[in-house]
Amino acid sequence: MNISTLGSTVRPYQSYVYAYPHKTAYRPLADRPALRELWAAEPKDALSLYLHIPFCEVRCGFCNLFTRIGAPEGLVTAYLDALERQAGAVREALGEDARFAAAAFGGGTPTFLEAAELELLCDIAEKGMGADLAAVPLSVEASPATATADRLAVLAGRGTTRLSLGVQSFVDAEARSAVRPQRRADVEAALGRIRDAGIPVLNIDLIYGIDGQTEDSWRRSLDAALAWRPEELYLYPLYVRPLTGLGRKEAREPEAEWAAEAEWDERRLRLYRSGRDQLLAHGYEQVSMRMFRAQGAPATSGEDYACQTDGMVGLGCGARSYTSALHYSFDYAVDMREIRGIIDDFVSRPAADFARAEHGRRMTGDEARRRHLLQSVLQAEGMDPAGYRARFGTDPAEDFPVELARFAARGWLDPDAAPGRLRLSPEGLAHSDALGPELFSPAVRAAMAAYDLK
């Protein structure tokens, strides 16, 4: 059954495009290319560094991230040891001219690590990889239960500029519905500790579309978040993905599923617009469909780093790395048993095993064009085609005439944008999760469709 469309109406919530191509389009690399060769001709003066921690205290019902619940005794230490071995191999492959313009710790939940372990993680980034965490933007993800004063003190002391707290809802019943056991009182206490730590940028993640959520309860969650005057807010639509807690639900007949999906889409769009308008009324700037930034808030990404063109170096078994010719990572899974196996394999590897790429997808000129267009146009400011022309020697309208004409016909492009600028309309931003997938190449679509979920 294909529910990407319901009748003649495009479904607004198809896929959250945070990276292209998606990991489900990656495949084992038979030649296991050496990282030294992959990075030899790459620009390395403004790289992004990402360290992945695949542990959480609980797994939320909507989560399909590469993470496991808890860690047996000794596993965190073994994982950090493996990260250190990987850092040595990767830095040697990059060479002495590599410079980092931004850094991030993600997961999982990086603050699952205890304070002393977070110090070790920062040491791996600085001493192992050569990233100056005090000089570049450093973003760290956290959960309310793990945002303890001692952990936050370490992060603040090591130069963290942004702390992103996954709250999802300030309404306890909604948190339980999303299989995220937490109490609002504990969330508020964590937010107080974050403010006390003095980290410059606080981001709060919220989710709309939770079962039982109403426009009134959504407004109350937003009001509760706004009371902390966060520099950033991310509003995420709820997705129910295969192999997640919420994904294990009773199957419906096709007709019933179509009706339920259509109603859910309508409700999520209504909540999105309500949340967007509420944040705009409070003086927030819309950066993308999901991201809203307070006026005057500090920048949270390196000014020298551009995600469309610059490389990313990922450490950890769930991290991606990007070169112009290849995107690569380790194997990907959602099922807990599969994840545990991949982590166990990662921590047992000798340093030499980290000097080659094992899973990935090679980037053709067409794929690079699609990635550049996707990561530019999904930002509220849109794209100046001059940068695209300078990189590829062609114009987006020449390369994607059918897609851009379709978007314009649907009212997704802003007719009042500056001459030559490609920018989404408010409705185009609202439909980012439909627009993005329409720019996937046929080859990537086929690879994603053929991926065996595990």
Side-chain angles (χ1 to χ4, degrees), residues 100 183 218 264 329 374 388 440:
F100 292 97
R183 297 184 306 137
W218 177 229
W264 193 30
S329 68
L374 269 170
Y388 184 100
F440 292 4

Side-chain angles (χ1 to χ4, degrees), residues 314-370:
L315 299 184
C317 55
R320 309 162 191 253
S321 296
Y322 305 142
T323 71
S324 60
L326 179 72
H327 289 190
Y328 63 92
S329 68
F330 293 96
D331 200 4
Y332 169 72
V334 176
D335 178 76
M336 193 60 64
R337 184 188 307 172
E338 297 282 351
I339 289 172
R340 287 196 296 264
I342 295 171
I343 295 173
D344 290 346
D345 173 72
F346 179 84
V347 301
S348 67
R349 288 170 176 253
D353 277 8
F354 294 122
R356 294 183 175 274
E358 296 193 358
H359 287 76
R361 187 163 191 89
R362 301 191 185 278
M363 296 294 289
T364 64
D366 174 66
E367 298 293 15
R369 285 173 166 83
R370 291 177 185 276

